[in-house]
């Protein structure tokens, strides 16, 4: 007890401070957003009854739903394809180790980050205004928005490619394209496929709501039935969407598992 | 086939580190030159000056009388093959495609993007694989091969370039002694039969003595020895591997005792 | 034909590998199937370029300065919704993550049940849940926060579970060997190991939720989205540009900040 070396001073542990700050901020937000717990309690008490109204789905219009669903998936496929093409072209310039110069790097990064920042629904609104209703503006909007993500993911993977492999292709006199094609893409093929599947998954989810702004797909039908309080048809639509998205979720998880 | 002229080459890196402090060397066409030196002496830097992976801050490097400049980088690199310590193959591509990478200088933009090659290029790659004795592995994925086999693919890639010079940066540092011997013999044979100029960095003094026509000793960015392998004695070895600020270097003593 | 062109692929027989051919055929087949359904029409696409340029031209008008304070309020609301929803989801998904990870779940039945619950929660997009919640609790940020938090639990729980499943087993055994209980094992062996992953996931989701919150207003669930749609529908182009710019600014700032933080943590 007496000859024990005293402990060095305990370093200050900031966790409680952060935690209380966090809770304080949350409380301020709740006050500012005017979230009334009464309304919430009220709503939650009713919510059982409310969801009960969806208990009797009406599938009489199923063939129309399936058609809309096919359109939704088609929109997502083309959106993903557009994104893939753009990302494929831009990502090598947005990867620090493969870019052609600091200016090309900056420009590619800025383009990608701009595309990411524009919400796809806003883009869809704009494209619908410019080219009329239909799924085409929808897939274009998805393409632009997710190209920003895909390009960023690809660029980050490319930056992790073994520098030695890149150097080897440079050392045989390979130009920029050849370095990208022979050292870049083959090294990240698997990761890139995984990201593409992930974006495809996300685009199907998003395409299901693009209809809200007139960009095709099943979303508009759901919006209409909900607005007209047709709970039976809404329930059927939700069931169809849910089944599809769950199927896609499993499919892409399974495919990504196979890639590893 | 081409001589290398290194004239007053200095290299100072962006962080201010002075890696080469004025190196002069005239390397004869078709010779086999080994560069020895402790870690950090600047061996890799020197090699990388020759194919323009680094540019000298002072002085210049010339290949067959033509200075290496940013403008003629692609032609120079097309003429100079490089073999790496860690092989640096593209794992997911087949052995054949890895060797064909050596032919990229002849390929068009579209051909490169579509992974299309000329039949002549395929023949050259086939021949190069034959030289290193790996034809039967042609369609195997590169990462399925052992280290020694991967290094032979690396050498085939350099051969497929039909180079005038091959640079090898510690080509046997990751290999066992027997495989090392094999690879060194292969390199020596390439030098003798094809008349290709070889510049090789090594850490193994015994291999250097047995295979080199000429040895260059580098220490802290300076050439401290330049001569035939027979001239390499204990004193010169001591000067090559001498460590700054260490007066009585016991480790060095015990290494020299076995050299 | 290949031989007359004197070109070939670097394979045994000079044609691309079967796997590559099948993949390309499959992708092309899908695109062809999808093209008429998505009304892909490159002529229409090209034809709409002038309209697009004209539209962008119309956007470039003097912004409506009087609107800016309101824009600030709406933007703050969007950020607050994001933060609140992500916080709620974080608290809920921590236990969910442990229940839905194979190696920490108390029972296989619990594992399957929680995995299914998480799949269900993230299957429908936020906007659909927002639609549903708006008709359940009325307009305003509350249904938006509920929808965001609900879907986020689905994603976060899954990501957490996946991180937990790949923890190093040796420290866990080390702690278990000293007689730690079920909960102790989770707080002392698993949690410290997955913390960096959790923080990375949370940052990523915060980013995602901000983008989602920005459009929830479309269905009346609070945030900047409502103003965005209204400006579009009423042709208030002098508001649309500031709205788009402010979304760009906030999203990009968060994107950069979370990138930097993530790099620090991992
Ligand atoms: N890009 C760089 N930036 C800054 N310093 C560098 C860079 N590349 C090399 N150096 C430094 O230059 C010195 C020489 O490096 P070099 O790689 O040529 O040594 P080496 O003789 O090949 O050593 P080793 O035997 O370990 O491979 C080292 O001290 C290294 O840290
Ligand atoms: Mg070296």
């Amino acid at each position: 007890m007496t000859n024990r070396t005293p402990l060095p001073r305990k370093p200050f542990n900031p966790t409680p401070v952060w935690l209380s700050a966090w809770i304080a901020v949350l409380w301020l937000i709740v006050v500012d957003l005017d979230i009334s717990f009464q309304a919430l309690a009220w709503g939650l008490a009713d919510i059982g009854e409310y969801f009960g109204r969806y208990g009797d789905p009406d599938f009489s219009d199923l063939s129309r739903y399936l058609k809309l669903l096919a359109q939704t998936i088609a929109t997502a496929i083309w959106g993903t394809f557009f994104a893939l093409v753009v990302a494929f072209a831009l990502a090598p310039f947005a990867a620090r180790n493969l870019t052609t110069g600091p200016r090309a790097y900056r420009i590619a990064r800025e383009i990608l980050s701009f595309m990411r920042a524009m919400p796809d629904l806003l883009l869809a609104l704009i494209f619908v205004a410019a080219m009329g209703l239909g799924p085409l503006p929808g897939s274009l909007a998805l393409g632009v928005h997710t190209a920003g993500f895909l390009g960023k993911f690809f660029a980050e993977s490319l930056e992790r490619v073994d520098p030695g492999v890149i150097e080897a292709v440079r050392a045989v006199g390979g130009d920029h394209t050849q370095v990208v094609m022979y050292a870049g893409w083959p090294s990240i093929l698997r990761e890139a496929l995984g990201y593409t599947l992930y974006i495809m998954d996300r685009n199907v989810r998003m395409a299901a709501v693009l209809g809200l702004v007139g960009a095709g797909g099943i979303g508009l039908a759901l919006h209409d039935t909900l607005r007209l309080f047709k709970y039976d048809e809404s329930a059927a639509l939700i069931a169809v969407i849910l089944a599809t998205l769950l199927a896609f979720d499993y499919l892409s998880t399974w495919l990504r598992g196979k890639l590893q | 086939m081409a001589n290398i002229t290194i004239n007053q080459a200095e290299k100072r890196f962006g962080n201010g580190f002075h890696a080469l402090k004025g190196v002069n060397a005239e390397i004869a066409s078709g010779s086999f030159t080994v560069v020895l030196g402790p870690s950090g002496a600047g061996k890799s830097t020197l090699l990388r000056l020759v194919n323009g992976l680094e540019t000298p801050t002072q002085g210049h490097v010339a290949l067959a009388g033509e200075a290496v400049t940013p403008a003629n980088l692609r032609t120079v690199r097309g003429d100079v093959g490089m073999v790496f310590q860690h092989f640096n193959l593209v794992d997911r591509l087949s052995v054949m495609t890895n060797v064909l990478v050596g032919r990229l200088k002849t390929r068009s933009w579209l051909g490169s993007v579509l992974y299309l090659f000329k039949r002549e290029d395929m023949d050259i790659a086939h021949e190069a694989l034959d030289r290193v004795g790996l034809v039967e592995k042609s369609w195997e994925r590169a990462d399925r091969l052992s280290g020694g086999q991967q290094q032979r693919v690396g050498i085939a890639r350099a051969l497929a370039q039909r180079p005038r010079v091959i640079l090898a940066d510690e080509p046997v540092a990751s290999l066992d002694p027997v495989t090392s011997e094999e690879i060194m013999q292969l390199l020596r044979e390439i030098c003798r039969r094809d008349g290709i100029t070889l510049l090789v960095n090594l850490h193994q003094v015994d291999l250097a003595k047995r295979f080199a026509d000429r040895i260059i000793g580098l220490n802290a960015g300076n050439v401290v020895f330049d001569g035939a392998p027979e001239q390499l004695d204990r004193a010169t070895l001591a000067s090559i591997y001498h460590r700054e600020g260490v007066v009585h270097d016991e480790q060095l003593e015990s290494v020299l005792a076995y050299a | 034909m290949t031989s007359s062109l004197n070109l070939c692929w670097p394979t045994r027989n000079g044609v691309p590998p079967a796997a590559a051919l099948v993949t390309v055929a499959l992708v092309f087949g899908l695109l062809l199937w999808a093209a008429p359904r998505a009304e892909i029409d490159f002529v229409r696409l090209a034809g709409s370029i002038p309209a697009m340029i004209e539209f962008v031209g119309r956007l470039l008008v003097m912004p409506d300065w009087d609107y800016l304070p309101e824009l600030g309020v709406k933007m703050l609301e969007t950020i607050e919704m994001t933060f609140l929803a992500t916080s709620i989801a974080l608290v809920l998904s921590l236990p969910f993550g442990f229940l839905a990870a194979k190696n920490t779940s108390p029972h296989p039945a619990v594992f399957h049940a929680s995995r299914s619950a998480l799949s269900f929660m993230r299957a429908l997009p936020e906007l659909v849940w927002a639609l549903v919640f708006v008709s359940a609790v009325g307009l305003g940020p509350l249904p938006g926060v509920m929808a965001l938090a609900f879907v986020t639990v689905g994603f976060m729980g899954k990501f957490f579970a996946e991180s937990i499943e790949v923890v190093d087993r040796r420290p866990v055994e080390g702690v278990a060997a000293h007689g730690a209980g079920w909960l102790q094992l989770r707080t002392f062996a698993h949690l410290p190991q997955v913390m960096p992953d959790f923080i990375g996931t949370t940052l990523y989701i915060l980013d995602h939720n901000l983008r989602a919150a920005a459009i929830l207003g479309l269905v009346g669930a609070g945030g900047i989205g409502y103003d965005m749609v209204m400006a579009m529908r009423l042709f208030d182009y002098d508001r649309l540009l500031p709205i788009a710019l402010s979304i760009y600014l906030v999203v990009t700032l968060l994107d950069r900040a979370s990138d930097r933080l993530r790099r620090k943590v991992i």
Side-chain angles (χ1 to χ4, degrees), chain C residues 19-61:
Chain C
L21 285 178
V22 169
T23 312
V24 170
L26 217 68
V27 169
F28 261 90
L30 265 180
L31 288 174
L32 282 181
W33 172 83
R37 285 170 180 79
E39 292 168 23
I40 298 297
D41 179 352
F42 288 99
V43 178
R44 182 175 161 206
L45 200 62
S48 65
I49 290 177
M52 207 72 123
I53 292 172
E54 199 209 312
F55 187 84
V56 172
R58 264 185 286 161
L59 283 182
L60 299 174
V61 289

Side-chain angles (χ1 to χ4, degrees), chain C residues 26-235:
Chain C
L26 217 68
V27 169
F28 261 90
L30 265 180
L31 288 174
L32 282 181
W33 172 83
R37 285 170 180 79
E39 292 168 23
I40 298 297
D41 179 352
F42 288 99
V43 178
R44 182 175 161 206
L45 200 62
S48 65
I49 290 177
M52 207 72 123
I53 292 172
E54 199 209 312
F55 187 84
V56 172
R58 264 185 286 161
L59 283 182
L60 299 174
V61 289
M62 208 47 173
D64 176 5
W65 298 111
D66 295 336
Y67 169 65
L68 284 192
E70 204 189 319
L71 173 64
V73 170
K74 287 291 184 188
M75 214 55 224
L76 183 66
E77 186 178 288
T78 311
I79 297 170
E80 287 177 339
M81 283 166 61
T82 309
F83 194 73
L84 183 60
T86 311
S87 303
I88 295 171
L90 177 64
V91 173
L92 293 180
S93 22
L94 270 177
F96 243 127
F98 281 101
L99 296 180
K102 233 180 222 130
N103 53 340
T104 57
S105 192
H107 191 273
V110 176
F111 164 75
H112 284 293
S114 24
R115 273 286 161 118
S116 308
L118 290 175
S119 297
F120 169 74
M121 291 170 102
R122 67 172 185 272
L124 289 177
E126 294 88 349
L127 266 177
V128 173
W129 285 117
L131 269 172
V132 171
F133 285 131
V134 164
S135 38
V137 301
L139 296 171
L142 176 61
V145 172
M146 285 164 74
L148 265 184
F150 192 76
V151 175
T152 304
V153 171
F155 274 106
M156 248 184 185
K158 177 188 175 219
F159 289 149
F160 284 177
E162 282 172 355
S163 317
I164 293 170
E165 281 180 354
V166 297
V167 297
D168 190 353
R169 266 192 19 257
R170 286 163 302 181
V172 178
E173 279 166 7
V175 175
H178 290 279
W182 189 86
L183 193 62
Q184 286 170 324
L185 210 54
R186 268 129 202 88
T187 51
F188 282 87
H190 289 110
L191 200 56
Q193 283 196 66
V194 293
M195 218 42 177
D197 260 17
F198 278 17
I199 293 173
T201 302
T202 308
L203 285 173
Y204 166 78
I205 294 219
L206 198 62
D207 207 271
H208 173 95
N209 280 354
L210 181 60
R211 292 166 212 271
I215 55 176
L216 281 178
L218 187 63
V219 296
I224 189 78
Y226 181 72
D227 288 31
M228 186 172 86
V229 179
M230 276 341 242
M232 196 74 209
R233 295 248 156 94
L234 302 175
F235 308 108

